[in-house]
Amino acid sequence: MEPKAVIFDLDGTLTESGKGIMKAAIAGLAAVGRESGGTEKLQKLIGPPLTEGFSEVYSLTEEECKEAVRAFRAYYETKGIFENELYPGALNLLRTLRERGTALYLATSKPELQARRVLAAFSLTAYFKEIAGGDDTRDGGNKEKILSRLVQTQAIPTAAAVMVGDRAYDICAANALGIAGVGVTYGYGSREELEKAGATHIVSSIDALTDLLLRDL
């Protein structure tokens, strides 16, 4: 059967947010005297919680991470959040799924307030039954914790749900909760990353994602 609930990631899945995030990351790294190392390295920061990304990708210390995150958010919340585009076909996908009665949710490591601002800018808020974002004091942006909270509070039937995302974090979180994970390669993760994470399906375009979600999985 078609999934009764579809949970979407945001960055790299519905929106092409790389430009703003990478500019914010450059500001964050500059605040602690570090160079970015180029686009390929910066793109690794799109997806994971910021502290985890700065620590793993740039080997920042705990104190450096705090300062880098502070500078990142100072840039992102005023400029970077608007350096963002909706993927072509994303709006039509949401509209089609909602018309077919599919319950739509959003689960992102981005702070919830920021996620809501992005959705509002693209007039997407009304498509989602619930929006779950990161909270430094509650889950630190951990995708599994965010997804688990969403599933519990919304009583989402995991056996009839699908998580759609572009990074391993999305797929691993879905697998941990018994939800089918659909990886998209048009975002910021590679097919190899998504396969290694155990994605149930992998698609390379919004059109292919639409076809997949409208048939039996």
Side-chain angles (χ1 to χ4, degrees):
M1 65 177 181
E2 295 176 22
K4 293 182 178 179
V6 178
I7 307 163
F8 287 95
D9 173 47
L10 182 59
D11 298 324
T13 302
L14 294 175
T15 64
E16 189 173 3
S17 54
K19 183 178 180 181
I21 291 175
M22 288 190 287
K23 283 187 175 183
I26 290 171
L29 290 165
V32 294
R34 298 291 189 93
E35 296 290 333
S36 70
T39 299
E40 184 175 348
K41 196 170 184 180
L42 283 167
Q43 285 185 336
K44 295 179 181 179
L45 295 179
I46 305 173
L50 279 176
T51 299
E52 182 178 329
F54 278 128
S55 175
E56 293 185 358
V57 179
Y58 290 93
S59 300
L60 300 191
T61 65
E62 183 177 350
E63 288 304 311
E64 287 175 328
C65 282
K66 290 180 181 178
E67 179 60 21
V69 168
R70 183 202 62 76
F72 177 103
R73 288 181 174 165
Y75 179 92
Y76 188 78
E77 291 173 3
T78 56
K79 298 179 181 179
I81 196 170
F82 302 112
E83 295 171 320
N84 199 353
E85 296 180 5
L86 192 64
Y87 281 114
L91 176 58
N92 186 59
L93 169 59
L94 296 177
R95 183 183 294 122
T96 300
L97 288 171
R98 191 174 69 169
E99 289 174 350
R100 294 174 75 99
T102 307
L104 305 181
Y105 302 91
L106 189 91
T108 174
S109 292
K110 185 189 294 298
E112 190 168 309
L113 180 59
Q114 290 182 9
R116 289 182 179 276
R117 289 179 66 195
V118 170
L119 293 177
F122 292 116
S123 300
L124 298 181
T125 307
Y127 287 93
F128 296 95
K129 292 191 66 174
E130 186 59 75
I131 298 160
D135 183 330
D136 288 343
T137 62
R138 181 165 46 179
D139 50 47
N142 180 281
K143 198 56 170 279
E144 184 179 334
K145 291 181 180 179
I146 293 167
L147 185 58
S148 178
R149 170 162 45 90
L150 177 65
V151 167
Q152 291 176 17
T153 59
Q154 297 299 305
I156 297 173
T158 55
V162 170
M163 172 76 209
V164 181
D166 68 315
R167 298 298 308 275
Y169 306 93
D170 304 305
I171 304 304
C172 290
N175 288 341
L177 296 172
I179 297 172
V182 176
V184 300
T185 60
Y186 58 78
Y188 301 104
S190 66
R191 174 173 286 273
E192 181 182 9
E193 175 184 338
L194 296 168
E195 287 178 344
K196 186 176 180 180
T200 306
H201 302 277
I202 299 176
V203 296
S204 59
S205 68
I206 291 278
D207 287 343
L209 177 60
T210 302
D211 291 341
L212 177 67
L213 294 178
L214 296 182
R215 64 176 172 81
D216 293 348
L217 297 183

